[in-house]
Amino acid sequence: MVYAKAVNLIRRLRAAYDHALTSVDLLVLPTTPMKAQPLPPADAPAGVRIGAAFMNLGNTSPFDVSHHPRCRFPAD
């Protein structure tokens, strides 16, 4: 049930991006609402390191699931 709902939402997301891209060639969107966080120390527990890896995932996953190309540029 949850999987089916997610698939339907992905279709709606893809359609929304497709619609937006009919009138422009490029969408410039922020990938993160904040600056990059410092890396955890090398001796940090695995849970802390894994948590840091997934901290900003919510901002890039819409492009991952809609299969639209994306390009990340390094922050100044």
Side-chain angles (χ1 to χ4, degrees):
M1 175 81 163
V2 174
Y3 178 77
K5 185 174 182 177
V7 169
N8 288 333
L9 290 174
I10 290 168
R11 289 181 185 141
R12 289 175 56 191
L13 178 68
R14 188 178 304 135
Y17 280 125
D18 288 342
H19 177 71
L21 289 167
T22 60
S23 59
V24 296
D25 294 327
L26 176 70
L27 295 175
V28 179
L29 306 167
T31 56
T32 59
M34 60 189 157
K35 291 184 177 183
Q37 300 297 311
L39 292 173
D43 61 346
V48 172
R49 292 192 315 265
I50 292 170
F54 288 101
M55 187 177 301
N56 292 323
L57 185 63
N59 295 317
T60 58
S61 55
F63 286 104
D64 295 340
V65 298
S66 71
H67 300 285
H68 284 88
R70 69 183 181 343
C71 182
R72 292 173 139 182
F73 296 99
D76 291 50

